[in-house]
Amino acid sequence: MTRFCNLLKVTGLLILSLLTISCASLRPVTNIRNGSIDSYKYFYIIPTNSLTSSSGATISGQYYSSSKTVNPSDVITGILSKNGLIRLPEIKPEFTDETIVINYGESGRRKTGWGGYTIEVTIQFVSAKTSTLICSCTAEGQGETEADDIRQAITRCLKGLL
C-alpha cells in the first residue's frame, strides 16, 4: 500500500510539473515614453485586417469547434475611445497638433511548451504633426486561440500606457 501511495505522489508531482511548465508566465509589458498622450484629443489608426482562429476538441467521437475573430485596430479603437480619444477616419490638417497616429504590429512569438505559444504585439503612438514617437508599448498575450492572444496582448499593452 505504501508503495502505491508513493507512486501516486510521484505521478501527481510529475503531472503538476508538466502543467506548470506548459503554462509559462507572460513577460512584463515594456513601455517607451518620450512624451505624454494626455494633450492629444484625436487619433488616426492604420487599418488592420481581421484574424479568425479556431479551436476544437473531440468528445466521445464527436468533433466540436469554435471560431473567434479579432481586428486589432477595432480593439485599440475601443480602448482609446473609452479613454476619451476620438478616432478620425483620416488625418485632418487642421487637427494635426492634437492628433496621434497609431501603428500596430505583431512583433514576435514565443514557445511556452507542449505546443503552446504567446503572441507579442507592439503599438506605437506617433505625433501627426512631427512624425516623432511619443510612446510605444510591447506586450504578450496567450489564450485559447490566436485571436485571444492578440486581444489579450493589446489590452495588456494599452493598460500599461493609459
Side-chain angles (χ1 to χ4, degrees), residues 7 10 23 27 31 53 67 78 90 97 115 124-125 139-140:
L7 181 61
V10 170
C23 299
R27 291 181 178 155
N31 296 314
S53 55
S67 295
E90 60 188 37
D97 288 349
Q124 294 180 324
F125 294 75
E140 288 182 328

Side-chain angles (χ1 to χ4, degrees), residues 47-54 67-79 104 106 109 119 121 123 145-155:
T48 59
N49 294 321
S50 293
L51 168 82
T52 300
S53 55
S54 302
S67 295
K68 295 180 183 179
T69 301
V70 66
N71 186 318
S73 62
D74 289 347
V75 176
I76 294 167
T77 294
I79 294 170
Y104 161 87
E106 290 184 29
R109 288 178 184 243
I119 294 179
V121 304
I123 303 171
T145 65
E146 285 188 4
D148 294 332
D149 298 351
I150 291 168
R151 186 180 305 277
Q152 183 184 41
I154 290 170
T155 302

Side-chain angles (χ1 to χ4, degrees), residues 35-43 83-86 95-101 125-130 132 134:
S36 172
I37 61 171
D38 293 339
S39 62
Y40 294 89
K41 185 175 180 180
Y42 306 102
F43 70 95
N83 281 276
L85 291 166
I86 300 165
F95 297 136
T96 56
D97 288 349
E98 301 174 281
T99 303
I100 51 178
V101 177
F125 294 75
V126 178
S127 166
K129 182 178 182 181
T130 64
T132 58
I134 301 164

Side-chain angles (χ1 to χ4, degrees), residues 2-137:
T2 304
R3 188 173 183 181
F4 179 72
C5 288
N6 287 338
L7 181 61
L8 280 178
K9 287 178 186 177
V10 170
T11 303
L13 186 59
L14 180 63
I15 290 170
L16 183 62
S17 297
L18 290 173
L19 289 174
T20 304
I21 290 169
S22 66
C23 299
S25 61
L26 298 174
R27 291 181 178 155
V29 176
T30 58
N31 296 314
I32 296 172
R33 293 182 187 265
N34 297 327
S36 172
I37 61 171
D38 293 339
S39 62
Y40 294 89
K41 185 175 180 180
Y42 306 102
F43 70 95
Y44 171 77
I45 186 162
I46 306 299
T48 59
N49 294 321
S50 293
L51 168 82
T52 300
S53 55
S54 302
S55 63
T58 302
I59 301 171
S60 300
Q62 179 70 35
Y63 184 73
Y64 297 93
S65 68
S66 67
S67 295
K68 295 180 183 179
T69 301
V70 66
N71 186 318
S73 62
D74 289 347
V75 176
I76 294 167
T77 294
I79 294 170
L80 295 179
S81 296
K82 187 175 180 179
N83 281 276
L85 291 166
I86 300 165
R87 181 178 181 174
L88 297 176
E90 60 188 37
I91 298 174
K92 300 189 181 238
E94 62 269 25
F95 297 136
T96 56
D97 288 349
E98 301 174 281
T99 303
I100 51 178
V101 177
I102 311 291
N103 296 314
Y104 161 87
E106 290 184 29
S107 49
R109 288 178 184 243
R110 181 173 60 93
K111 291 183 181 183
T112 59
W114 283 44
Y117 59 90
T118 65
I119 294 179
E120 178 187 84
V121 304
T122 298
I123 303 171
Q124 294 180 324
F125 294 75
V126 178
S127 166
K129 182 178 182 181
T130 64
S131 297
T132 58
L133 182 67
I134 301 164
C135 56
S136 70
C137 58

